[in-house]
Amino acid sequence: MSPPAPTGRTVSRWLGSLLAAALATAGCSPGKGAAEQRASTAPAGPIGLFTTLPILWQEADDIRGLLNGGAQVHWAMPALQNQGEVRALNTLSADPPPLAGLALLVMAQPRVLSPSENVALDEWVRRGGRVLLFADPMLTSDSRFSLGDKRRPQDVVLLSPLLARWGLRLEFDDAQPAGRRDIALAGRNLPVNLPGALALAGAPGKCRILAGGIAAQCRIGRGGALIIADAALFEPALGSDAQRRSTLLDLLIEIARAS
């Protein structure tokens, strides 16, 4: 029989060891190339990673499986490490504040935020924080865990209060055809699959819609955010496809830092 799904409290106990194992497996020395050259000129500071996707570790039934050193490293981990120290976050609101000192927060299909997390994130951005947010209203990547399992990635992102605060609304066209396609964004092809669409919600904010609604770039107080209405970029990839996705992620990080 499979062990019970880990709770938030359980996750917080071993999250640090999981991240250390993931970083060690991925290798902490960035490879040379365009990503490294851009990272060398990027603002100093760690990157926070807040996600339900299997980026830090592969999906597994227990901690032993999560720490399996022979597992394939997700292509996004080295890409993020090229930008700086990666800090895995299990919460956005705690004492001491988890967001303090971050140069950038990457949120990839995050779980539902608590009211205190919504407030903490919004205040951090308004004080100068930068966010790269992937908010997918219909996640299409495969998972070994069934619907309702707490270990399963967030299938439908639920961030309406935060997006409304920033002057945006996330919509979804359930009549659109399924299947991967590429959308032009910042001179690159962004892979999407059943993406959402971002629209201005009329609330106070300074956002501009990009790529026909697939993305939005917002100036929020002294900080900013780049929001992508899809998370298919983080699907597993190897070889040239992984390199292409890594380069695109690097570019999106640059744009988010400049928001």
Side-chain angles (χ1 to χ4, degrees):
M1 181 176 64
S2 300
T7 64
R9 181 177 300 175
T10 303
V11 169
S12 64
R13 292 175 179 173
W14 44 258
L15 189 54
S17 62
L18 292 177
L19 175 60
L23 296 179
T25 304
C28 293
S29 298
K32 295 183 179 181
E36 180 181 338
Q37 293 171 4
R38 285 190 287 268
S40 65
T41 61
I47 293 177
L49 178 59
F50 188 68
T51 183
T52 63
L53 301 176
I55 297 173
L56 286 164
W57 51 82
Q58 74 284 356
E59 290 188 332
D61 293 322
D62 53 26
I63 295 178
R64 177 179 296 180
L66 290 170
L67 294 175
N68 179 11
Q72 179 70 43
V73 175
H74 194 287
W75 63 263
M77 275 305 297
L80 291 170
Q81 288 173 325
N82 278 340
Q83 298 286 339
E85 174 196 353
V86 178
R87 293 183 183 175
L89 301 183
N90 189 41
T91 180
L92 302 182
S93 175
D95 189 17
L99 298 174
L102 295 180
L104 177 73
L105 174 64
V106 176
M107 302 175 68
Q109 200 64 359
R111 60 165 172 75
V112 179
L113 302 183
S114 68
S116 63
E117 287 178 313
N118 273 304
V119 171
L121 176 56
D122 181 63
E123 290 181 347
W124 177 75
V125 173
R126 293 182 185 279
R127 291 194 301 266
R130 299 295 195 274
V131 178
L132 174 56
L133 168 60
F134 295 85
D136 197 326
M138 187 62 66
L139 191 69
T140 55
S141 60
D142 295 329
S143 174
R144 65 181 296 173
F145 300 120
S146 60
L147 290 171
D149 194 311
K150 293 181 180 180
R151 295 165 295 182
R152 183 182 176 89
Q154 189 80 22
D155 288 285
V156 178
V157 78
L158 299 172
L159 295 175
S160 295
L162 180 68
L163 293 177
R165 175 70 173 163
W166 291 350
L168 293 172
R169 179 177 64 253
L170 179 60
E171 303 172 340
F172 180 71
D173 178 11
D174 56 9
Q176 66 180 300
R180 174 184 159 175
R181 67 183 192 272
D182 289 337
I183 298 294
L185 177 63
R188 303 275 182 170
N189 288 326
L190 174 71
V192 300
N193 194 344
L194 293 178
L198 293 160
L200 299 178
K206 297 180 180 179
C207 296
R208 61 189 184 105
I209 303 300
L210 308 172
I214 296 296
Q217 189 173 17
C218 300
R219 185 70 180 174
I220 306 163
R222 296 197 301 271
L226 176 63
I227 301 100
I228 312 293
D230 192 79
L233 174 65
F234 290 99
E235 291 177 353
L238 297 172
S240 60
D241 187 26
Q243 182 58 51
R244 183 177 68 87
R245 291 170 187 257
S246 175
T247 301
L248 180 54
L249 177 58
D250 188 62
L251 175 61
L252 295 177
I253 287 174
E254 279 191 13
I255 296 173
R257 280 175 159 160
S259 296

